[in-house]
Amino acid sequence: MAETDADMMAFEAHRAGVLSKLIRLFSQGMEPTALAEEAVHLVAEATDARGVFVYLWDEDEERLILKVASKGRQSTAVDEVRLRLGEGIAGWAALHRQKVNIRSAPRDDPRFKYVAPVPEDEFHSMLAVPIADEGDSLRGVFALYSEAEDAFGVGESDIAVEVGCLLAVGLVHAETVSELSLQSQNARFLLDFPVGSTTSLVPALNYAASRIVDLCAVDFFAIDYMSKDDRTNLPVTFAARGENGGDHRVWSTHSRTSVQRVLEQHGAGLESTTVSLGMTSLRGVMTLYRRAPFRARDLNQVNAVAAQLSVILEAVDLTAVNSSQTMELFYGRSQMRATALLEDLRTQEPLWPIVLRFLEVPDNWDVGRRRLKELLTQAVGPRAVVLFDSISGVMLVESDLVAQSRDLKAKINEVLRQLSGEFESRVAVGIGPLVESRVKFRSEMEKAKKTLNWAVVANRRSQNPVACFDDIERVIALPTIWSELTDDVTSLCDSLEPLADYDGSHGTQLLKTLSTFSRCGGQVHHTASQLVVHRNTLRQRLQRIEQLLGRDMTTTTDWVSLAIAARVVESRLENG
């Protein structure tokens, strides 16, 4: 009996070690497939299983796909085996959301399905556990096989279930991270467009073609854009994915015969989708090709990119009007060209450089843009220069028209308030520092653009965010610093969820305590004073926090990130 108890204690210790290691790996941000591979290795070792498989559910294909397998002949079946719900023992476990423990001869079970690459008929016992998230949505199946009969008891079953739950959490987390990453890539497509590729349509099309191959995960891409200037005969631009991870090939042709030949050569046998380009009217189409089918999520990505590309191309195409001047002032790098342009515009220094960007475009786009220009000119005087391309604008105001940046801000706020009353639009504005000399214009313009970014980031809830460089000069680097902290803060927010759950269940204030403690840099006396509690009470709370989080607060060094993360989670709970 003593030996049995010792064996049980050893098994439980081994089980705890498996789960502890997987949790550590997950908390470090290991992606699900890698986590599953580690789980397969650890579970095989802990249970003496001869084969361990992880099937993941693919909603689009409606199949369980073997994604991870322990070493051996079965590893060749990864990505090859695809089971319907109810098909085979693993499929049955997935369909019914029930674990299946077959103690002998799995091949004799009526649910058994022979799959050539997987030597299931060589095994004499099997355990299949469905992987489902908290909402009971199917994520996959965790399957263990042994050459011995009755190999999987309660302990082995518990390990499989617990590891399956952990993998489900990992899969949900990965989907969230993937979706946020996709949204971030979409948002940055327009922002990251190189200035050198916005000088004319051809370089813009070339860059876009190469970038979209990766952004939309396609093998071949074609874009046929029509300029608003009928005299401009643009070529059709193509991009093909580079072989073996090499550079993508980008080329173009004016010959319609060549276009058809290229499409037949590179697009034959591939799945394709076509989307139109243009904001106010049809300006062209882009067609994407790849081997895998385009799913709903892929089409959403394609449409998001197409919308941004339309904005960029129309902005570049407006060079026939005055947008070339705006583009040069907004994106240009040459001080010499900026000085020449200021002379052409007949501006007098000192002047205020101001940059504008539409965050939400009114339905009647052209009328709204003209109305904004009219209101701005009325507010500061007819000598003010107001230029627009597509969603961006530049305004130059001489200081004798408005002497102080705060007065200029007040005038602009009033203009935007009036515009919002006439059109459904949102406009962000950055007022740069006073330019005393034309030779300093380029550097001061860069500060105006940073001020615009500040206005957008720091005033997200404002209808029309406006910021002055003079007001934020000392803290203008904050958005950059915040972007550097984002990954750490996101990870910390996830790790603080046990505190939020505990507070919700017990009516405690552990999250608020941690938030205050971290803002006080870990100083007990200062924290107790802020919370108006006795030091012993604070220490008891900190002990409970350490138990729930599994971390020693005395070893914490990054109080800033922890304070932000705690406040973010605390704020989310406060707002319901």
Side-chain angles (χ1 to χ4, degrees):
M1 183 69 179
E3 182 179 352
T4 302
D5 290 342
D7 290 342
M8 290 178 61
M9 292 179 62
F11 184 83
E12 287 300 319
H14 198 30
R15 166 188 169 191
V18 169
L19 296 175
S20 176
K21 184 170 182 179
L22 287 176
I23 291 171
R24 284 199 306 274
L25 293 173
F26 176 63
S27 66
Q28 293 169 5
M30 179 173 282
E31 59 94 18
T33 301
L35 188 68
E37 290 175 350
E38 188 65 26
V40 164
H41 171 73
L42 291 172
V43 171
E45 182 180 309
T47 62
D48 292 327
R50 176 66 175 80
V52 182
F53 303 155
V54 175
Y55 296 87
L56 296 183
W57 175 247
D58 189 307
E59 281 194 2
D60 294 294
E61 292 194 23
E62 295 187 343
R63 295 289 190 278
L64 287 165
I65 302 176
L66 181 61
K67 283 295 183 181
V68 182
S70 53
K71 293 181 180 179
R73 181 156 63 94
Q74 59 266 18
S75 62
T76 62
V78 170
D79 287 327
E80 298 297 326
V81 177
R82 285 168 159 76
L83 301 175
R84 297 182 179 88
L85 283 182
E87 187 176 21
I89 298 173
W92 189 95
L95 176 63
H96 295 279
R97 306 288 200 283
Q98 294 180 21
K99 67 179 179 181
V100 179
N101 191 350
I102 300 179
R103 302 183 182 280
S104 65
R107 61 183 174 275
D108 295 336
D109 190 282
R111 295 165 294 187
F112 179 79
K113 174 182 173 62
Y114 180 75
V115 181
V118 181
E120 291 180 305
D121 56 338
E122 298 178 4
F123 299 121
H124 298 288
S125 58
M126 173 190 181
L127 176 65
V129 176
I131 302 172
D133 59 27
E134 293 181 350
D136 201 34
S137 295
L138 180 65
R139 298 288 172 176
V141 174
F142 199 55
L144 287 71
Y145 296 83
S146 176
E147 294 175 344
E149 293 188 351
D150 199 14
F152 306 115
V154 175
E156 290 81 4
S157 178
D158 286 346
I159 287 181
V161 170
E162 289 167 335
V163 172
C165 290
L166 184 60
L167 287 177
V169 172
L171 291 166
V172 173
H173 176 75
E175 282 186 3
T176 303
V177 171
S178 176
E179 184 62 31
L180 290 173
S181 175
L182 198 61
Q183 293 177 9
S184 175
Q185 290 179 51
N186 288 343
R188 296 212 60 85
F189 177 61
L190 188 150
L191 295 176
D192 290 343
F193 221 84
V195 174
S197 297
T198 59
T199 55
S200 65
L201 282 169
V202 171
L205 292 168
N206 287 342
Y207 173 78
S210 177
R211 184 75 179 89
I212 289 174
V213 168
D214 286 327
L215 199 57
C216 296
V218 297
D219 298 303
F220 177 59
F221 173 80
I223 180 169
D224 188 356
Y225 189 78
M226 299 170 288
S227 173
K228 289 185 176 182
D229 184 353
D230 294 335
R231 297 167 297 177
T232 303
N233 181 21
L234 292 173
V236 177
T237 303
F238 306 101
R241 178 174 296 279
E243 296 182 1
N244 301 320
D247 293 338
H248 304 324
R249 179 191 172 201
V250 178
W251 74 103
S252 58
T253 179
H254 283 89
S255 168
R256 289 293 160 176
T257 302
S258 296
V259 169
Q260 188 60 35
R261 186 169 59 251
V262 170
L263 294 178
E264 292 174 355
Q265 177 183 352
H266 292 272
L270 299 180
E271 299 285 339
S272 67
T273 186
T274 299
V275 62
S276 60
L277 298 170
M279 292 183 60
T280 57
S281 61
L282 180 63
R283 303 250 42 96
V285 296
M286 66 180 197
T287 307
L288 305 92
Y289 300 81
R290 72 180 194 185
R291 293 177 178 82
F294 287 90
R295 305 170 182 178
R297 181 184 178 189
D298 301 322
L299 296 177
N300 290 336
Q301 168 78 341
V302 169
N303 287 323
V305 171
Q308 293 199 60
L309 183 58
S310 296
V311 171
I312 296 170
L313 296 179
E314 289 205 8
V316 176
D317 200 14
L318 283 173
T319 53
V321 202
N322 64 15
S323 73
S324 60
Q325 296 174 327
T326 310
M327 298 290 284
E328 178 57 42
L329 291 174
F330 204 105
Y331 297 109
R333 291 290 182 267
S334 170
Q335 177 58 50
M336 183 180 299
R337 292 173 64 183
T339 299
L341 184 53
L342 292 175
E343 290 177 354
D344 292 341
L345 295 172
R346 299 182 181 179
T347 59
Q348 296 295 322
E349 293 72 32
L351 56 80
W352 301 101
I354 304 161
V355 289
L356 311 92
R357 178 175 297 148
F358 275 91
L359 303 179
E360 291 181 9
V361 179
D363 292 335
N364 200 337
W365 168 237
D366 289 332
V367 176
R369 187 172 52 186
R370 287 197 299 270
R371 180 57 175 157
L372 176 56
K373 181 175 181 178
E374 177 184 332
L375 291 173
L376 288 171
T377 305
Q378 290 175 358
V380 299
R383 294 207 321 269
V385 174
V386 184
L387 303 170
F388 279 100
D389 54 16
S390 181
I391 63 170
S392 301
V394 174
M395 184 176 178
L396 305 175
V397 179
E398 296 172 11
S399 63
D400 65 338
L401 297 176
V402 182
Q404 301 292 330
S405 62
R406 68 175 68 91
D407 297 331
L408 187 54
K409 181 179 180 180
K411 290 179 180 291
I412 291 175
N413 273 323
E414 177 58 28
V415 165
L416 298 181
R417 184 196 64 77
Q418 185 173 346
L419 184 73
S420 295
E422 299 177 11
F423 298 90
E424 291 186 0
S425 64
R426 292 183 64 223
V427 181
V429 180
I431 303 172
L434 195 64
V435 177
E436 300 287 352
S437 170
R438 289 180 182 177
V439 296
K440 294 184 178 180
F441 177 82
R442 181 51 58 205
S443 61
E444 305 303 83
M445 188 63 175
E446 289 301 312
K447 294 174 183 176
K449 289 160 61 177
K450 290 182 179 179
T451 305
L452 173 64
N453 290 336
W454 172 280
V456 174
V457 172
N459 301 283
R460 291 183 182 274
R461 297 182 180 179
S462 174
Q463 173 66 22
N464 296 297
V466 181
C468 294
F469 179 81
D470 292 346
D471 296 335
I472 62 170
E473 179 177 3
R474 295 186 178 183
V475 292
I476 199 167
L478 190 57
T480 301
I481 296 172
W482 167 247
S483 66
E484 295 171 355
L485 293 173
T486 299
D487 289 344
D488 291 340
V489 170
T490 301
S491 177
L492 284 170
C493 284
D494 292 340
S495 72
L496 298 183
E497 287 301 320
L499 297 187
D501 295 340
Y502 190 89
D503 284 345
S505 301
H506 297 80
T508 52
Q509 294 185 322
L510 297 184
L511 194 57
K512 180 180 180 181
T513 299
L514 179 61
S515 177
T516 306
F517 184 63
S518 54
R519 289 201 304 272
C520 293
Q523 298 181 19
V524 173
H525 175 74
H526 192 189
T527 305
S529 176
Q530 289 284 318
L531 293 173
V532 195
V533 298
H534 194 274
R535 293 185 194 178
N536 289 339
T537 300
L538 175 60
R539 290 192 176 94
Q540 290 172 0
R541 291 185 185 180
L542 292 175
Q543 288 176 355
R544 174 62 67 185
I545 290 171
E546 289 179 341
Q547 291 173 356
L548 291 171
L549 298 184
R551 61 185 294 174
D552 184 355
M553 300 306 299
T554 63
T555 64
T556 300
T557 57
D558 190 358
W559 294 111
V560 174
S561 295
L562 183 59
I564 295 173
R567 186 66 191 102
V568 167
V569 179
E570 187 181 13
S571 175
R572 176 172 58 79
L573 296 179
E574 292 172 353
N575 295 326

